Amino acid sequence: MGKYDELLEQVDALIVKDDWIISNMANTASAIFDGMDALNWAGFYIVREGILQVGPFIGLPACVKIKPGDGVCGTAMVLKKTMLINDVHTFPGHIACDEASNSEIVVPIIVKGEVVAVLDIDSPYLNRFRADEQLFFESVGRKIEKVWEDIG
Ligand code: SME
């Protein structure tokens, strides 16, 4: 069993189809933050009136609204692809919610072709996120998409 298979199973058990999407996101953020090393922020931004707005998360208080195309989150939203940033200080327009952040990964949550939310994970370490961890976060994203689809 791979390092993250167990955590993925844990997340899978926490995500309950009949529960509110916000509750599912809150427990998912908590499981990630608790289950992985060297993170300082883990959570979701949710699209509301066309803008990413902060959702359930663990970490320091964050900026509330991010426009499409702004920062790493808004770029993931527009490009509809995972952004793995080894050094956020080299990313033009990076939004520093927590000065301690040095690397970041953002996975878009896509339902019926539209980005409905993003999963955003920050680390105080440079080069924190590896390819297998990207796959793990993308698998978490697919699980959230599935419950979102079931609800919507
Ligand atoms: N760094 C993000 C903003 C959100 S915080 O990391 C929680 C960005 O550049 O979009």
Side-chain angles (χ1 to χ4, degrees):
M1 195 182 241
K3 190 177 170 197
Y4 292 107
D5 291 347
E6 208 174 317
L7 190 53
L8 196 59
E9 276 184 11
Q10 194 191 333
V11 168
D12 198 38
L14 285 167
I15 294 176
V16 178
K17 188 164 84 69
D18 295 332
D19 283 345
W20 192 29
I21 193 73
I22 299 295
S23 308
N24 281 314
M25 287 177 161
N27 271 335
T28 299
S30 172
I32 290 171
F33 195 83
D34 186 60
M36 295 180 85
D37 295 331
L39 305 181
N40 60 317
W41 204 92
F44 293 87
Y45 277 81
I46 301 170
V47 177
R48 180 166 173 259
E49 295 170 354
I51 291 173
L52 288 166
Q53 306 218 17
V54 75
F57 71 92
I58 314 292
L60 287 184
C63 50
V64 174
K65 296 181 185 180
I66 300 175
K67 291 188 190 128
D70 283 0
V72 185
C73 292
T75 302
M77 180 185 176
V78 168
L79 298 182
K80 296 186 179 176
K81 68 178 195 100
T82 299
M83 305 294 298
L84 195 167
I85 311 298
N86 286 319
D87 179 354
V88 294
H89 307 290
T90 65
F91 188 88
H94 168 255
I95 301 162
C97 292
D98 180 348
E99 291 295 327
S101 297
N102 273 315
S103 58
E104 177 165 11
I105 184 163
V106 179
V107 176
I109 311 290
I110 301 172
V111 174
K112 296 186 181 116
E114 297 293 320
V115 175
V116 296
V118 299
L119 171 61
D120 180 19
I121 315 289
D122 286 23
S123 171
Y125 291 87
L126 293 166
N127 307 302
R128 165 66 184 80
F129 302 107
R130 301 185 313 263
D132 61 334
E133 290 167 320
Q134 174 171 344
L135 289 177
F136 164 73
F137 290 125
E138 288 175 344
S139 300
V140 171
R142 298 301 83 81
K143 289 182 188 301
I144 293 289
E145 284 169 359
K146 198 160 181 325
V147 278
W148 191 300
E149 266 169 15
D150 289 345
I151 294 163

